Amino acid sequence: MNTPDVIVIGGGTGGYSTALRAASLGLDVVLVERDKVGGTCLHRGCIPSKAMLHAAELVDGIAEARERWGVKATLDSVDWSALVATRDDIVARNHRGVEAHLAHAGVRVVRGSGRLTGARSVRVDGASASGVQDYTARRGIVLATGSRPRTLPGLVPDGRRVVTSDDALFAPGLPASVLVLGGGAIGVEYASFHRSLGAEVTLVEAADRIVPLEDGDVSRHLTRGLKKRGIDVQAGARLLDAEVLDDGVRARVRTARGETRTVEAERLLVAVGRAPVTEGLDLAAAGLRTDPRGFVAPADWDRLRTAVPGVHVVGDLLPPPSLGLAHASFAEGLLVAETLAGLPSAPVDYATVPRVTYSSPQTASVGLSEAEARARGHEVDVNTMPLTAVAKGLVHGQGGMVKVVAEAGGGQVLGVHLVGPHVSEMIAESQLIVGWDAQPLDVARHIHAHPTLSEAVGETFLTLAGRGLHQQ
């Protein structure tokens, strides 16, 4: 019982996907989790935040109905307790589903904190009445302990006035004003959510533009959309200091113009990235160590195998080019499980992993930005088309765009970038286009339904292929 084929430490998306796939291949799997299976994504991140963002979208819809369509609807109030109850029900149902999948697959879930005692051995504290339990893996160990929000010196999260993305949704009530530090995907999503529910929002990003890892046109369109909604976007700005008051937070911010502004808000949300969690793993016992940034870097990216044979790593413990995204973790888990089962498996192609920001407007991208493509020496053709150039874009009335970056002269598509309503549901097609090295003419041969937002994607490729209709 204590010598399974595979031991997985960490039951988040990367860990439980590894366990499920390995068990389906006939391996005996022990999954060690000190909290709840599903990890940050299910319990504090992806799922609860997207549930709340859906509620925010419904609130925005009431305003649009009244102001744009003549539907005389009004919003009386937001019942925070009812909203939270629905969110928690969605999370709980997903949690039960994951537990049921693991049980059906025969994965043994061991509750406790796992630490390495060797290259193939793990001790779990709290796993039994005696306090500890030792396990030895016949085939290998998978490290999947995830990440935590980064904080800033002098800003101690208290879950009330100063919060992180892990506890922002669980802080009491709806604040009337929020200062968000960090203009990456997480910060933008939380800024968007709070604005939809009526808060005054200031968004501060140290880089010269928000979502700085995305294409420059994505940043510009998103900034325009957020400002149109009344969000005070301050890019190229930095926090000088902050003081926690009885009724909120007072912060001084240096703007891109060199001016010092004082911002007062009921809540300060720190969204400056996430850090890998390795404390307590005792990596040295297995002959491992972290890199200078705290990540566990694989020696073999094709198999996500560390320098110690039999020890693999998935999820947020991986440095770039891994993206710290749940759907990338799923792919990493599949790869590692199949490797441990002795099966051939294609390496994760991080260049084709889609990136999505679930704000209003949304962004979705896959592949290279225009700047990245040029920096890598590609001669490129670029076409950008506003969503309002197609009928369904006018119906939605939220602006947005489709941008395609392709090798010059009809060569392969290098990147696709979307901004607008529901583009998170449109990116899968572009993932296949980039992943299968398609050329604009390949896409232009296929017919997109009319009228749809996805029609704008088809039109963008038609133009690049020299067959433009509504865009010349």
Side-chain angles (χ1 to χ4, degrees):
M1 291 293 292
N2 287 14
T3 55
D5 295 312
V6 178
I7 303 171
V8 182
I9 306 178
T13 50
Y16 83 70
S17 60
T18 305
L20 284 173
R21 180 58 177 147
S24 75
L25 295 172
L27 300 182
D28 181 25
V29 182
V30 163
L31 173 62
V32 181
E33 172 55 52
R34 64 185 178 188
D35 192 4
K36 297 178 181 178
V37 293
T40 294
C41 179
L42 175 52
H43 298 286
R44 297 177 296 279
C46 317
I47 306 307
S49 67
K50 275 53 181 182
M52 300 290 254
L53 283 163
H54 176 67
E57 184 180 12
L58 296 176
V59 172
D60 291 338
I62 294 172
E64 181 188 357
R66 179 180 63 254
E67 297 167 7
R68 186 162 181 252
W69 295 98
V71 179
K72 302 304 180 183
T74 58
L75 176 66
D76 293 333
S77 63
V78 174
D79 185 337
W80 181 252
S81 62
L83 192 156
V84 166
T86 301
R87 176 201 69 197
D88 291 348
D89 177 63
I90 291 167
V91 170
R93 289 165 62 184
N94 274 272
H95 180 221
R96 290 194 298 270
V98 173
E99 289 190 315
H101 285 314
L102 291 167
H104 180 75
V107 174
R108 286 184 283 153
V109 178
V110 177
R111 309 290 178 179
S113 297
R115 58 187 174 90
L116 300 171
T117 54
R120 293 293 179 95
S121 56
V122 172
R123 173 164 290 179
V124 183
D125 296 309
S128 66
S130 62
V132 298
Q133 191 73 48
D134 292 311
Y135 295 87
T136 300
R138 289 193 292 264
R139 299 206 182 194
I141 293 172
V142 183
L143 305 179
T145 47
S147 63
R148 68 166 65 89
R150 294 185 186 275
T151 57
L152 294 174
L155 280 178
V156 180
D158 59 11
R160 182 169 169 265
R161 295 301 181 196
V162 179
V163 299
T164 70
S165 58
D166 268 9
D167 51 29
L169 295 178
F170 305 95
L174 282 167
S177 55
V178 181
L179 169 59
V180 180
L181 297 180
I186 294 175
V188 167
E189 289 179 3
Y190 278 96
S192 181
F193 166 76
H194 284 95
R195 183 58 188 151
S196 294
L197 272 68
E200 294 296 321
V201 179
T202 302
L203 177 63
V204 174
E205 167 56 43
D208 61 0
R209 56 189 176 88
I210 61 172
V211 289
L213 299 181
E214 298 296 342
D215 186 272
D217 284 330
V218 170
S219 296
R220 283 187 285 274
H221 276 262
L222 179 58
T223 299
R224 187 181 306 133
L226 295 178
K227 286 184 174 181
K228 185 178 179 181
R229 297 182 56 212
I231 296 175
D232 181 8
V233 179
Q234 294 291 329
R238 63 186 181 90
L239 178 73
L240 297 177
D241 52 51
E243 177 185 6
V244 179
L245 310 173
D246 290 339
D247 58 351
V249 177
R250 180 186 297 125
R252 291 193 310 141
V253 175
R254 179 68 53 83
T255 69
R257 295 182 178 181
E259 303 166 344
T260 299
R261 284 185 52 189
T262 298
V263 180
E264 293 190 359
E266 285 189 18
R267 190 167 293 162
L268 188 154
L269 169 59
V270 182
V272 293
R274 297 184 66 86
V277 174
T278 57
E279 296 85 354
L281 267 180
D282 198 0
L283 295 172
L288 290 169
R289 62 182 180 180
T290 62
D291 72 8
R293 296 167 295 177
F295 295 106
V296 181
D300 178 4
W301 275 96
D302 286 353
R303 293 292 172 264
L304 300 181
R305 186 184 293 116
T306 69
V308 176
V311 181
H312 297 255
V313 60
V314 298
D316 291 1
L317 290 184
L318 287 167
S322 182
L323 301 172
L325 299 172
H327 43 285
S329 297
F330 287 138
E332 291 160 355
L334 291 170
L335 167 63
V336 168
E338 289 161 2
T339 297
L340 290 169
L343 297 178
S345 187
V348 177
D349 184 0
Y350 291 105
T352 61
V353 175
R355 308 176 301 276
V356 179
T357 303
Y358 296 85
S359 53
S360 178
Q362 294 182 354
T363 77
S365 302
V366 64
L368 300 178
S369 68
E370 179 181 353
E372 288 171 334
R374 295 187 188 279
R376 296 187 187 190
H378 294 283
E379 295 289 333
V380 297
D381 288 333
V382 177
N383 187 29
T384 302
M385 182 175 183
L387 284 185
T388 51
V390 298
K392 197 62 179 291
L394 289 173
V395 170
H396 283 279
Q398 296 181 27
M401 64 138 197
V402 176
K403 179 175 181 177
V404 175
V405 181
E407 289 184 333
Q412 77 178 68
V413 179
L414 302 173
V416 181
H417 310 276
L418 312 175
V419 180
H422 309 301
V423 295
S424 59
E425 306 295 340
M426 295 166 55
I427 195 62
E429 172 190 20
S430 297
Q431 179 187 11
L432 296 178
I433 291 168
V434 173
W436 286 343
D437 300 332
Q439 299 176 354
L441 188 58
D442 297 325
V443 185
R445 293 192 181 102
H446 297 280
I447 300 169
H448 289 71
H450 172 79
T452 62
L453 290 174
S454 64
E455 184 182 7
V457 176
E459 288 272 357
T460 306
F461 282 102
L462 278 170
T463 302
L464 276 174
R467 303 178 65 200
L469 287 176
H470 300 95
Q471 185 189 36
Q472 303 301 322

